[in-house]
């Protein structure tokens, strides 16, 4: 007996273990949402903006490793998905997007809301095709789901509204959403070449990224064998930092001096599962060996002397028997000592003297770390919240950290928190939001109340796009267009059904966070933080120093002396 194509889609998703679909209803999507309504086994998470749906689906996929689903109606509806889908695709998490289309009989006529999603989404997906008639839905759906899982990215299935409501005589496909276990490592010949190079090197540093997930014990074994300090990229923090006596922090724009020191003072750099993008932070004279499951990534950031295609876990296990134990641990000892000093310096900045106002953002981040659960999920907005998260949130093997670390989109923290919390309502989820990011997708505070998700949001409120201001100053420019005239976010949250707290002085921050974190429902803490807090990179280039000098001169000439004084007081006299 024939069923509606939409019913076949929903039955297929349920059979594959999909628990929820994130989206916003619309007439072209009515067939799908009506079928979801009839099935209590699958939940419709009604967001206020489709971009949030894509970010939320991506967060769930990141945490679970399983396929997740978002949906949007025709034209503007599914086009709003695109930014979140770009983030999912670049973060390599498996997401299926169902993009409804105008009636198939109207295609090519410039019909109301007509777009070409099969073209628009192609750049942010592994698979993107339109279904032409109902009986083809099962086949295209199966291909889309398998493509997202196998390639670890986005698939888009475009479906006209009339096709969703059409009769489909083809049965629902059985799509297995479990990634099969496999071993992927380079040939023995290539691994021997890598081992020879490492055995002949004196000072080896490891740079690890997200590809180190699931390889923690192997990573520590090879670090011990090579007496190598481990620098981690931002996406590798949650997998590398914990229980790791070889960890020396981060490098790059978000990092600090110890990671930079370890990278620049080695004669061999072993890159493990990372596509670290900042070429200026790679050593210029060291031999570089790169391990990555995706061969196309090898050598695209720095000159690589030897590339190994394989998983980090499998490749290290193949290398270990070939490696000689290094007798000299001085490079490791020096880098670890440097890290202790850098760590102490960062911790000394995370202070909050009673009565201090505005509050130092480092102090807020440290308080969040101390108050959060041992298995908390953190999300952080791009910009200064990511910097404070990278420096003050400590991973322990149970905590998770999500952000838009590759795509670099604003306003990701709250949407990702929605997906993280929807996937596990009993787990604590904390969003470190910038005031610019929180305001950009402000409407989805209502989603937290409507869907009853107990997310805890901390807004770093400095009335500016702070990281953009820092970039302008480093370039010698007067900051312009970065002012934010903000509401009282705590009061605004309360009008949305969310418990709100306002922190204007340092001595009120700890109590507000504890109250918010213990509140059974969604809560928001609005903290007024220093606008001119400098988040210094691990090394300052001559051009940046010159840029700051030009900025100060221009600020004085333009009558902005108070700004320069505040900048100096905030950063020099602490």
């Amino acid at each position: 007996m024939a069923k509606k194509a939409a019913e076949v889609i929903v039955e297929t998703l349920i059979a594959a273990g999909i628990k929820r679909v994130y989206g916003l209803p619309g007439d072209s999507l009515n067939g799908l949402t009506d079928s979801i309504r009839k099935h209590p086994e699958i939940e419709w998470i009604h967001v206020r903006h489709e971009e949030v749906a894509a970010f939320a689906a991506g967060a769930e996929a990141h945490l679970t490793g399983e396929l997740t689903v978002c949906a949007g109606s025709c034209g503007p509806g599914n086009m709003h998905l695109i930014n979140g889908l770009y983030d999912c695709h670049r973060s390599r998490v498996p997401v299926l997007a169902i993009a409804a289309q105008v009636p198939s009989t109207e295609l090519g006529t410039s019909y109301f809301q007509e777009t070409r999603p099969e073209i628009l989404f192609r750049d942010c997906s592994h698979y993107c095709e339109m279904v032409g008639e109902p009986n083809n839905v099962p086949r295209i759906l199966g291909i889309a789901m398998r493509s997202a899982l196998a390639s670890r990215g986005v698939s888009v299935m475009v479906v006209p509204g009339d096709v969703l409501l059409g009769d489909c005589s083809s049965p629902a496909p059985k799509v297995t959403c479990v990634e099969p276990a496999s071993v992927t490592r380079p040939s023995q010949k290539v691994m021997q070449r890598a081992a020879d190079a490492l055995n002949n090197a004196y000072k080896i540093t490891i740079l690890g990224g997200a590809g180190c997930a699931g390889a923690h014990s192997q990573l520590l074994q090879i670090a011990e064998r090579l007496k190598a300090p481990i620098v981690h990229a931002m996406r590798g923090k949650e997998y590398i930092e914990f229980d790791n006596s070889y960890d020396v922090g981060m490098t790059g724009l978000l990092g600090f001096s110890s990671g930079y020191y370890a990278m620049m003072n080695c004669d061999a750099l072993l890159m493990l599962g990372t596509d670290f993008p900042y070429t200026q932070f790679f050593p210029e004279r060291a031999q570089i060996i790169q391990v990555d499951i995706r061969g196309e990534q090898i050598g695209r950031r720095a000159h690589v002397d030897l590339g190994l295609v394989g998983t980090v876990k499998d490749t290290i296990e193949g290398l270990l028997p070939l490696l000689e134990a290094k007798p000299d641990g001085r490079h490791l000892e020096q880098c670890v000592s440097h890290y202790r000093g850098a760590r102490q310096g960062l911790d000394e900045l995370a202070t909050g003297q009673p009565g201090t106002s505005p509050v130092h953002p480092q102090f807020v981040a440290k308080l969040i770390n101390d108050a959060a659960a041992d298995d908390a999920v953190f999300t952080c907005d791009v910009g200064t919240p990511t910097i404070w998260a990278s420096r003050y949130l400590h991973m322990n093997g149970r905590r998770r950290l999500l952000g838009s670390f590759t795509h670099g989109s604003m306003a990701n923290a709250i949407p990702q928190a929605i997906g993280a919390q929807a996937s596990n309502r009993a787990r604590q989820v904390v969003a470190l939001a910038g005031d610019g990011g929180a305001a950009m997708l402000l409407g989805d505070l209502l989603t937290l109340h409507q869907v009853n998700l107990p997310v805890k949001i901390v807004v770093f409120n400095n009335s500016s796009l702070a990281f953009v201001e820092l970039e302008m100053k480093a370039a010698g420019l007067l900051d312009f267009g970065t002012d934010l005239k903000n509401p009282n976010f705590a009061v605004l949250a309360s009008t949305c059904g969310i418990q709100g707290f306002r922190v204007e002085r340092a001595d009120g921050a700890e109590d507000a966070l504890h109250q918010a974190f213990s509140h059974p429902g969604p809560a928001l803490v609005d903290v007024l933080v220093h606008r001119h807090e400098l988040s210094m990179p691990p090394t300052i280039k001559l051009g940046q120093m010159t840029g700051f000098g030009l900025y100060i001169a221009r600020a004085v000439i333009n009558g902005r002396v108070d700004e320069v004084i505040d900048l100096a007081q905030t950063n020099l006299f602490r």
Side-chain angles (χ1 to χ4, degrees):
M1 179 179 175
K3 296 181 178 180
K4 301 296 184 186
E7 183 72 12
V8 173
I9 292 174
V10 172
E11 288 180 358
T12 303
L13 298 180
I14 293 171
I18 305 299
K19 299 294 191 299
R20 58 197 62 81
V21 177
Y22 300 88
L24 196 66
D27 58 348
S28 56
L29 199 61
N30 283 345
L32 182 70
T33 52
D34 188 58
S35 293
I36 292 174
R37 176 184 63 83
K38 299 171 185 176
H39 288 275
E41 312 98 302
I42 192 166
E43 184 180 12
W44 175 256
I45 304 292
H46 178 188
V47 299
R48 300 304 177 99
H49 195 293
E50 289 89 353
E51 182 178 344
V52 174
F55 270 121
E60 180 179 339
H62 183 99
L63 293 176
T64 65
E66 299 172 357
L67 184 70
T68 58
V69 182
C70 59
S73 58
C74 66
N78 61 56
M79 285 183 69
H80 286 160
L81 294 170
I82 198 163
N83 188 52
L85 290 181
Y86 257 102
D87 185 82
C88 296
H89 196 58
R90 299 188 71 187
S91 297
R92 300 194 180 96
V93 292
V95 173
L96 169 68
I98 299 174
Q101 177 60 293
V102 300
S104 57
T105 54
E106 301 294 344
L107 289 171
T109 68
S110 294
Y111 190 70
F112 176 66
Q113 294 189 323
E114 182 182 359
T115 59
R116 298 288 298 278
E118 67 275 18
I119 296 174
L120 291 168
F121 289 101
R122 192 155 291 162
D123 194 46
C124 63
S125 63
H126 290 298
Y127 181 84
C128 181
E129 296 294 341
M130 186 172 71
V131 184
E133 58 98 17
N135 279 318
N136 221 18
V137 163
R139 186 179 185 188
I140 298 298
L141 177 60
I143 295 171
M145 294 170 70
R146 293 186 186 97
S147 296
L149 284 163
S151 300
R152 311 305 292 176
V154 172
S155 284
V156 182
M157 184 173 74
V158 183
V159 195
D162 59 311
V163 172
L164 283 171
L165 294 170
D167 290 335
C168 176
S169 57
S170 303
K174 294 182 179 180
V175 180
T176 302
C177 288
V178 178
E179 188 174 7
S182 60
V183 174
T184 307
R185 66 173 57 151
S187 69
Q188 195 67 21
K189 180 180 179 181
V190 173
M191 283 198 292
Q192 186 62 59
R193 286 180 60 197
D196 291 343
L198 294 170
N199 287 334
N200 290 325
Y202 292 98
K203 297 189 295 182
I204 302 169
T205 293
I206 294 171
L207 173 63
C212 291
H216 191 262
S217 63
Q218 291 81 4
L219 180 64
L220 298 190
Q221 288 178 59
I222 197 169
E224 170 59 27
R225 186 73 55 87
L226 299 174
K227 296 295 186 290
I230 303 173
V231 181
H232 61 261
M234 185 65 195
R235 290 186 65 215
K237 177 179 170 72
E238 61 176 327
Y239 307 117
I240 295 172
E241 183 181 70
F242 67 96
D243 296 337
N244 183 354
S245 59
Y246 308 93
D247 181 51
V248 294
M250 292 175 57
T251 186
L253 296 177
L254 305 181
F256 38 97
S257 60
S258 56
Y260 182 80
Y261 176 86
M263 292 269 285
M264 293 300 170
N265 286 277
C266 67
D267 57 26
L269 177 66
L270 177 59
M271 296 175 62
L272 298 174
T274 179
D275 193 32
F276 179 73
Y278 303 113
T279 57
Q280 67 269 36
F281 291 96
F282 281 94
E284 295 180 359
R285 290 180 291 276
Q287 186 178 24
I288 298 179
I289 300 169
Q290 183 175 3
V291 178
D292 205 294
I293 188 62
R294 294 172 177 82
E296 71 273 12
Q297 293 191 171
I298 292 175
R300 71 178 180 181
R301 305 301 184 194
H303 171 75
V304 169
D305 297 277
L306 181 61
L308 292 82
V309 178
T311 67
V312 172
K313 178 178 182 293
D314 297 332
T315 303
I316 291 178
E317 288 177 348
L319 277 173
L320 281 171
L322 307 176
L323 294 174
E324 301 167 0
K326 296 290 182 186
D328 188 348
R330 282 178 294 179
H331 174 59
L332 173 62
E333 292 166 5
Q334 289 169 355
C335 291
V336 170
S337 176
H338 195 295
Y339 172 64
R340 291 195 193 103
R343 183 70 260 170
Q344 181 180 350
L346 290 174
D347 291 340
E348 288 172 352
L349 292 174
T351 57
Q353 297 297 325
T356 302
S357 179
V359 187
H360 291 296
Q362 301 97 320
F363 178 61
V364 179
K366 181 181 182 300
L367 290 179
I368 292 171
N369 176 75
D370 295 345
D374 285 342
D375 65 344
V377 178
F378 300 100
T379 67
C380 55
D381 266 334
V382 161
T384 52
T386 292
I387 296 175
W388 311 136
S390 72
R391 297 181 180 182
Y392 295 100
L393 297 183
H394 296 295
M395 300 294 105
N396 58 11
R398 299 176 64 205
R399 288 177 165 181
R400 303 298 304 273
L401 178 61
L402 285 68
S404 186
F405 299 139
T406 302
H407 186 49
S409 172
M410 279 185 66
N412 62 284
I414 295 175
Q416 288 178 327
I418 288 172
Q421 194 74 83
S423 67
N424 187 344
R425 293 172 188 254
R427 191 173 187 180
Q428 187 184 70
V429 177
V430 182
L432 282 67
D435 46 0
M440 184 174 281
L441 288 171
L442 197 59
D444 274 272
L445 289 179
L446 298 166
T447 298
L448 297 176
H449 175 62
Q450 180 165 328
V451 189
N452 192 28
L453 298 174
V455 169
K456 315 307 177 192
I457 302 168
V458 182
V459 179
F460 288 70
N461 186 349
N462 50 26
S463 298
S464 70
L465 300 174
F467 197 78
V468 179
E469 281 191 351
L470 181 61
E471 291 171 324
M472 290 177 175
K473 291 168 183 173
L477 303 173
L478 290 174
D479 44 282
F480 175 76
T482 57
D483 289 343
L484 298 175
K485 189 171 184 179
N486 289 325
N488 182 320
F489 285 102
V491 172
L492 190 149
S494 68
T495 67
C496 299
I498 296 172
Q499 186 69 48
F501 302 87
R502 175 87 162 182
V503 176
E504 298 182 358
R505 303 166 72 92
D507 44 354
E510 185 172 8
D511 182 61
L513 287 171
H514 279 290
Q515 287 190 62
F517 287 10
S518 62
H519 180 68
L524 182 148
V525 184
D526 181 14
V527 188
L528 301 187
V529 296
H530 272 288
R531 177 170 184 163
H532 298 299
E533 196 82 39
L534 290 180
S535 49
M536 304 302 289
T539 183
I540 305 296
K541 302 294 185 183
L542 177 61
Q544 292 171 315
M545 289 189 288
T546 303
F548 270 105
L550 286 172
Y551 153 72
I552 291 171
R554 287 169 176 164
V556 172
I557 291 170
N558 283 270
R560 292 164 61 168
V561 177
D562 291 345
E563 184 178 307
V564 175
I565 293 173
D566 186 53
L567 180 70
Q569 289 177 335
T570 303
N571 296 282
L572 298 180
F573 306 121
R574 294 186 58 187

